[in-house]
Amino acid sequence: MSEKNDKQNASSSPQSQQWSPESYQKNAAFVAELGLPLLDLLRPVPGERILDLGCGDGVLTEKLAKICEVVGVDASPEQVQGAQAFGLNAQVMSGEALTFDQEFDAVFSNAALHWMLNPDSVIRGVRQALKPQGRFVAEFGGFGNVAAIREALERELGRRGIDGAGLSPWYFPAPDEYRGRLEAEGFAVEDMELFDRPTPLPGDVTGWLQTFGESYLSAVPDEERDDFLTAVREALRPVICGEDGVWMADYVRLRFAARLQA
């Protein structure tokens, strides 16, 4: 087998994403800020117990904790440590392997479900975690999310002899697909919307790529990575950078509220 084929096969599946709370705050603080409208859809009330699924560094979890009792879970030990630094009840747990049993009035999730590639396991775990008539409220990347960014990454990888098509770490479903998955697990969907949300970045797209694109970057040898990032940035400049110099990630979000049927 050729060295080139070895390289392609070694890069045929996405690598696990590693998270740095410091990098996340620098390059992705907008995630929590843009998740605030989701709290209005959740409508938490005092006395409720809520699970924050994929709590990250706990910025939104902290806001919920001022209203009701909240437990945060995240697969990243580093992010959980960041959430615990706020004094929050947070623990390391995969969203695809939840272990709760009818403990929560609601499950809340912002910008996390698209990192969980087995959605049926996630929904089953949420169903098990909820009390009867409990609600599931979330927002995450939907069909078409960051399409331009993904295309630029895969094109540049292809120029380097690497097949990037299988490297995406994300699950971006269409509304009908995800509605069907929810209904199959006993949820009644009360609200669901797919919408474009071009999102301004705090700097150029490089910081975004370094924070969220690890599965693509890890396919590139260390000594080539800076050149790779530069090439992807310049390919994206005429696509997602405005004349004012502001870079806008081409986000498409899927937001929903569902209730567990009796």
Side-chain angles (χ1 to χ4, degrees), residues 73-131:
V73 296
D74 200 284
S76 165
E78 295 81 9
Q79 291 284 64
V80 167
Q81 288 178 1
Q84 290 173 341
F86 284 113
L88 298 168
N89 179 357
Q91 55 189 278
V92 178
M93 186 182 297
S94 168
E96 296 168 310
L98 297 175
T99 60
F100 304 104
D101 187 13
Q102 298 188 37
E103 299 180 35
F104 298 97
D105 299 286
V107 173
F108 168 86
S109 185
N110 178 57
L113 296 179
H114 53 253
W115 293 100
M116 305 175 197
L117 300 184
N118 190 336
D120 293 329
S121 293
V122 174
I123 296 169
R124 280 194 294 270
V126 169
R127 179 194 65 195
Q128 187 64 30
L130 285 169
K131 299 175 183 178

Side-chain angles (χ1 to χ4, degrees), residues 183-229:
E183 291 175 345
E185 293 297 335
F187 285 93
V189 177
E190 299 176 341
D191 188 278
M192 180 170 284
E193 179 185 10
L194 182 73
F195 59 97
D196 292 335
R197 193 187 67 202
T199 300
L201 301 179
D204 70 32
V205 74
T206 303
W208 191 99
L209 295 170
Q210 292 171 325
T211 302
F212 296 115
E214 184 173 347
S215 66
Y216 294 100
L217 299 183
S218 63
V220 179
D222 291 347
E223 65 273 15
E224 299 178 18
R225 203 160 293 168
D226 286 346
D227 288 343
F228 174 76
L229 284 167

